[in-house]
Amino acid sequence: KQEVTQIPAALSVPEGENLVLNCSFTDSAIYNLQWFRQDPGKGLTSLLLIQSSQREQTSGRLNASLDKSSGRSTLYIAASQPGDSATYLCAVGSGAGSYQLTFGKGTKLSVIP
Amino acid sequence: NAGVTQTPKFQVLKTGQSMTLQCAQDMNHNSMYWYRQDPGMGLRLIYYSASEGTTDKGEVPNGYNVSRLNKREFSLRLESAAPSQTSVYFCASRRGPDSGNIQYFGAGTRLSVL
Protein backbone atom coordinates (compact mmCIF):
# COMPACT_ATOMS: atom_id res chain seq x y z
CA LYS A 1 0.00 0.00 0.00
CA GLN A 2 1.35 3.39 -1.01
CA GLU A 3 2.06 5.75 1.88
CA VAL A 4 2.85 9.44 1.45
CA THR A 5 4.57 11.53 4.13
CA GLN A 6 5.00 15.29 4.20
CA ILE A 7 7.53 17.05 6.38
CA PRO A 8 7.23 19.44 8.11
CA ALA A 9 3.57 19.45 9.16
CA ALA A 10 3.73 23.21 9.63
CA LEU A 11 6.16 25.92 8.62
CA SER A 12 6.34 29.63 9.38
CA VAL A 13 8.69 31.91 7.42
CA PRO A 14 9.17 35.67 6.98
CA GLU A 15 8.08 37.21 3.72
CA GLY A 16 10.69 37.04 0.97
CA GLU A 17 12.35 33.81 2.06
CA ASN A 18 12.83 30.86 -0.26
CA LEU A 19 11.49 27.61 1.17
CA VAL A 20 11.29 23.89 0.46
CA LEU A 21 8.45 21.50 1.27
CA ASN A 22 9.20 17.80 1.33
CA CYS A 23 7.20 14.76 0.26
CA SER A 24 8.22 11.10 0.41
CA PHE A 25 6.44 7.97 -0.80
CA THR A 26 7.00 4.28 -0.16
CA ASP A 27 6.28 2.66 -3.56
CA SER A 28 8.29 3.99 -6.48
CA ALA A 29 5.93 2.42 -9.06
CA ILE A 30 4.07 5.67 -9.73
CA TYR A 31 2.59 7.34 -12.79
CA ASN A 32 2.98 10.88 -11.55
CA LEU A 33 3.05 13.18 -8.53
CA GLN A 34 0.83 16.20 -8.06
CA TRP A 35 1.18 19.17 -5.72
CA PHE A 36 -2.00 20.93 -4.57
CA ARG A 37 -2.76 24.06 -2.61
CA GLN A 38 -5.69 24.24 -0.18
CA ASP A 39 -6.89 27.47 1.40
CA PRO A 40 -8.90 27.29 4.66
CA GLY A 41 -12.45 26.09 4.03
CA LYS A 42 -11.81 25.68 0.31
CA GLY A 43 -11.21 22.93 -2.20
CA LEU A 44 -7.91 21.84 -3.71
CA THR A 45 -6.14 23.69 -6.50
CA SER A 46 -3.60 21.82 -8.61
CA LEU A 47 -0.23 23.59 -8.70
CA LEU A 48 2.11 21.25 -10.53
CA LEU A 49 2.05 17.73 -11.89
CA ILE A 50 5.25 15.78 -12.60
CA GLN A 51 5.08 12.67 -14.75
CA SER A 52 7.17 9.70 -13.60
CA SER A 53 9.55 10.21 -16.52
CA GLN A 54 10.22 13.85 -15.57
CA ARG A 55 12.64 15.29 -13.03
CA GLU A 56 11.01 18.67 -12.43
CA GLN A 57 8.27 21.10 -13.35
CA THR A 58 8.16 24.86 -12.96
CA SER A 59 5.34 27.36 -12.75
CA GLY A 60 6.22 30.94 -11.88
CA ARG A 61 7.85 30.99 -8.44
CA LEU A 62 7.15 27.29 -7.90
CA ASN A 63 9.46 24.45 -8.81
CA ALA A 64 8.70 20.80 -8.08
CA SER A 65 11.26 18.03 -8.37
CA LEU A 66 10.85 14.27 -8.43
CA ASP A 67 13.35 11.53 -7.59
CA LYS A 68 11.31 8.42 -8.20
CA SER A 69 14.05 5.95 -7.28
CA SER A 70 14.46 7.42 -3.81
CA GLY A 71 10.75 8.10 -3.34
CA ARG A 72 11.07 11.85 -2.84
CA SER A 73 9.68 15.09 -4.17
CA THR A 74 10.24 18.69 -3.17
CA LEU A 75 8.26 21.84 -3.79
CA TYR A 76 10.44 24.94 -3.88
CA ILE A 77 8.76 28.33 -3.41
CA ALA A 78 10.90 31.34 -4.26
CA ALA A 79 10.52 34.77 -2.69
CA SER A 80 7.56 33.78 -0.51
CA GLN A 81 4.61 36.16 -0.11
CA PRO A 82 1.82 36.34 2.50
CA GLY A 83 -0.57 35.18 -0.24
CA ASP A 84 1.32 31.87 -0.35
CA SER A 85 -0.04 31.03 3.11
CA ALA A 86 -2.05 27.83 2.73
CA THR A 87 -1.80 24.08 3.19
CA TYR A 88 0.22 22.30 0.50
CA LEU A 89 -0.67 18.71 -0.31
CA CYS A 90 1.42 16.15 -2.13
CA ALA A 91 -0.40 13.32 -3.94
CA VAL A 92 1.05 10.31 -5.73
CA GLY A 93 -0.76 8.86 -8.74
CA SER A 94 -0.55 5.10 -9.21
CA GLY A 95 -2.63 1.96 -9.85
CA ALA A 96 -2.41 -0.22 -12.93
CA GLY A 97 -5.73 0.05 -14.77
CA SER A 98 -7.42 2.10 -12.07
CA TYR A 99 -5.55 5.33 -11.53
CA GLN A 100 -5.84 6.75 -8.00
CA LEU A 101 -4.20 9.47 -5.93
CA THR A 102 -2.74 8.81 -2.50
CA PHE A 103 -2.38 11.98 -0.45
CA GLY A 104 -0.01 13.12 2.23
CA LYS A 105 -1.40 14.98 5.24
CA GLY A 106 -0.05 18.31 4.06
CA THR A 107 2.26 21.09 5.18
CA LYS A 108 0.60 24.21 6.59
CA LEU A 109 2.61 27.23 5.46
CA SER A 110 2.40 30.66 7.07
CA VAL A 111 4.29 33.54 5.48
CA ILE A 112 4.66 36.41 7.92
CA PRO A 113 4.65 39.96 6.50
CA ASN B 1 -16.91 26.55 -17.31
CA ALA B 2 -18.00 25.77 -13.75
CA GLY B 3 -15.59 22.81 -13.41
CA VAL B 4 -16.64 20.46 -10.59
CA THR B 5 -19.79 21.50 -8.71
CA GLN B 6 -20.84 19.96 -5.40
CA THR B 7 -24.15 20.37 -3.62
CA PRO B 8 -24.94 21.06 -0.87
CA LYS B 9 -22.05 23.08 0.56
CA PHE B 10 -23.10 22.44 4.17
CA GLN B 11 -25.36 19.85 5.79
CA VAL B 12 -26.29 18.83 9.32
CA LEU B 13 -27.84 15.40 9.86
CA LYS B 14 -29.05 13.44 12.82
CA THR B 15 -27.71 9.94 13.40
CA GLY B 16 -29.62 7.46 11.24
CA GLN B 17 -30.77 9.96 8.62
CA SER B 18 -29.91 9.46 4.98
CA MET B 19 -28.75 11.91 2.36
CA THR B 20 -27.15 12.11 -1.07
CA LEU B 21 -24.23 14.35 -1.96
CA GLN B 22 -24.33 15.50 -5.55
CA CYS B 23 -21.37 16.12 -7.86
CA ALA B 24 -21.36 17.26 -11.47
CA GLN B 25 -18.53 18.15 -13.85
CA ASP B 26 -18.75 19.98 -17.17
CA MET B 27 -15.27 19.12 -18.50
CA ASN B 28 -16.28 15.88 -20.25
CA HIS B 29 -14.00 13.92 -17.93
CA ASN B 30 -14.11 10.13 -17.87
CA SER B 31 -13.18 9.46 -14.23
CA MET B 32 -14.73 10.80 -11.05
CA TYR B 33 -13.83 10.39 -7.39
CA TRP B 34 -15.19 10.90 -3.89
CA TYR B 35 -12.83 11.69 -1.00
CA ARG B 36 -13.27 12.56 2.63
CA GLN B 37 -10.94 14.85 4.55
CA ASP B 38 -10.57 14.58 8.30
CA PRO B 39 -8.20 16.50 10.61
CA GLY B 40 -4.89 14.67 10.93
CA MET B 41 -5.92 12.03 8.34
CA GLY B 42 -5.51 13.79 5.03
CA LEU B 43 -7.74 12.98 2.07
CA ARG B 44 -8.88 9.39 1.75
CA LEU B 45 -10.59 7.85 -1.28
CA ILE B 46 -14.12 6.55 -0.66
CA TYR B 47 -15.24 5.43 -4.13
CA TYR B 48 -14.30 6.17 -7.69
CA SER B 49 -15.69 5.70 -11.16
CA ALA B 50 -13.09 5.09 -13.85
CA SER B 51 -15.65 5.59 -16.61
CA GLU B 52 -19.39 5.92 -17.10
CA GLY B 53 -21.13 2.76 -15.90
CA THR B 54 -18.36 1.58 -13.55
CA THR B 55 -17.71 2.15 -9.86
CA ASP B 56 -15.08 0.76 -7.47
CA LYS B 57 -14.31 0.93 -3.78
CA GLY B 58 -11.50 3.05 -2.46
CA GLU B 59 -9.78 3.01 0.90
CA VAL B 60 -12.80 3.80 3.14
CA PRO B 61 -16.05 2.67 1.41
CA ASN B 62 -17.99 1.33 4.41
CA GLY B 63 -21.25 3.18 5.08
CA TYR B 64 -21.40 4.74 1.60
CA ASN B 65 -22.88 3.96 -1.80
CA VAL B 66 -22.32 5.70 -5.12
CA SER B 67 -24.05 6.11 -8.44
CA ARG B 68 -22.49 7.22 -11.70
CA LEU B 69 -25.71 8.59 -13.16
CA ASN B 70 -24.14 9.62 -16.47
CA LYS B 71 -20.78 10.94 -17.63
CA ARG B 72 -21.34 14.27 -15.85
CA GLU B 73 -22.75 13.19 -12.49
CA PHE B 74 -21.44 11.05 -9.62
CA SER B 75 -23.42 10.95 -6.38
CA LEU B 76 -22.48 9.70 -2.90
CA ARG B 77 -25.18 8.35 -0.60
CA LEU B 78 -25.14 7.87 3.14
CA GLU B 79 -27.93 5.41 3.94
CA SER B 80 -27.80 5.71 7.73
CA ALA B 81 -25.50 8.52 8.83
CA ALA B 82 -23.20 8.03 11.83
CA PRO B 83 -21.19 10.62 13.80
CA SER B 84 -18.01 9.02 12.39
CA GLN B 85 -19.09 10.28 8.97
CA THR B 86 -18.75 13.90 10.07
CA SER B 87 -16.18 15.18 7.59
CA VAL B 88 -15.54 17.35 4.56
CA TYR B 89 -16.35 15.52 1.34
CA PHE B 90 -14.66 16.35 -1.94
CA CYS B 91 -15.56 15.26 -5.43
CA ALA B 92 -12.95 15.26 -8.18
CA SER B 93 -12.77 14.46 -11.87
CA ARG B 94 -10.02 13.50 -14.32
CA ARG B 95 -10.03 13.21 -18.10
CA GLY B 96 -7.23 10.71 -18.52
CA PRO B 97 -3.60 10.24 -19.60
CA ASP B 98 -3.95 12.58 -22.57
CA SER B 99 -4.35 15.47 -20.12
CA GLY B 100 -1.63 14.28 -17.76
CA ASN B 101 -4.06 12.69 -15.29
CA ILE B 102 -4.62 16.00 -13.49
CA GLN B 103 -7.49 15.81 -10.98
CA TYR B 104 -9.80 18.79 -10.54
CA PHE B 105 -11.63 19.23 -7.26
CA GLY B 106 -14.94 20.70 -6.18
CA ALA B 107 -15.26 23.15 -3.27
CA GLY B 108 -16.41 20.45 -0.86
CA THR B 109 -19.45 19.56 1.25
CA ARG B 110 -19.10 20.07 4.99
CA LEU B 111 -21.20 17.44 6.76
CA SER B 112 -21.93 17.20 10.47
CA VAL B 113 -23.73 14.17 11.90
CA LEU B 114 -25.11 14.74 15.40
Side-chain angles (χ1 to χ4, degrees):
Chain A
K1 176 186 172 186
Q2 179 74 267
E3 293 183 2
V4 180
T5 302
Q6 291 187 248
I7 295 173
L11 180 64
S12 184
V13 301
E15 181 178 2
E17 271 203 5
N18 303 325
L19 59 101
V20 174
L21 307 181
N22 296 293
C23 172
S24 62
F25 48 94
T26 55
D27 186 350
S28 61
I30 67 170
Y31 289 128
N32 54 36
L33 185 144
Q34 199 166 352
W35 283 93
F36 292 89
R37 170 185 172 136
Q38 185 176 28
D39 293 290
K42 304 292 185 182
L44 280 69
T45 301
S46 180
L47 297 173
L48 289 165
L49 182 143
I50 310 176
Q51 301 295 349
S52 62
S53 58
Q54 297 175 321
R55 296 285 298 194
E56 64 179 275
Q57 280 285 335
T58 298
S59 176
R61 295 183 293 110
L62 305 180
N63 177 277
S65 69
L66 174 64
D67 184 342
K68 196 173 75 163
S69 61
S70 68
R72 295 176 188 271
S73 176
T74 62
L75 179 66
Y76 174 83
I77 302 177
S80 59
Q81 302 171 359
D84 295 329
S85 298
T87 296
Y88 290 80
L89 297 166
C90 168
V92 172
S94 54
S98 57
Y99 177 88
Q100 299 177 30
L101 285 178
T102 302
F103 282 84
K105 295 179 181 179
T107 294
K108 185 175 181 179
L109 174 65
S110 298
V111 180
I112 312 302
Chain B
N1 284 346
V4 180
T5 303
Q6 293 184 234
T7 55
K9 288 184 168 43
F10 301 93
Q11 184 71 47
V12 178
L13 293 178
K14 294 181 180 178
T15 297
Q17 287 186 318
S18 62
M19 79 161 295
T20 299
L21 281 64
Q22 306 287 353
C23 175
Q25 52 91 9
D26 61 1
M27 297 175 282
N28 200 35
H29 286 175
N30 293 316
S31 302
M32 298 184 73
Y33 304 81
W34 277 106
Y35 297 89
R36 61 178 288 173
Q37 185 176 35
D38 303 292
M41 298 294 295
L43 275 85
R44 293 178 292 169
L45 183 64
I46 305 172
Y47 270 94
Y48 66 99
S49 171
S51 60
E52 186 179 355
T54 68
T55 60
D56 285 287
K57 296 178 180 179
E59 180 184 354
V60 288
N62 291 345
Y64 305 95
N65 286 301
V66 291
S67 296
R68 183 73 183 267
L69 304 170
N70 47 55
K71 192 171 186 179
R72 289 187 65 247
E73 298 172 290
F74 188 38
S75 62
L76 179 71
R77 182 161 178 84
L78 286 70
E79 290 291 353
S80 178
S84 61
Q85 294 178 304
T86 293
S87 188
V88 182
Y89 292 85
F90 288 101
C91 177
S93 71
R94 174 183 70 92
R95 190 169 78 185
D98 59 337
S99 68
N101 284 319
I102 296 175
Q103 285 197 15
Y104 297 87
F105 282 75
T109 294
R110 283 146 186 82
L111 175 67
S112 293
V113 183
L114 306 177

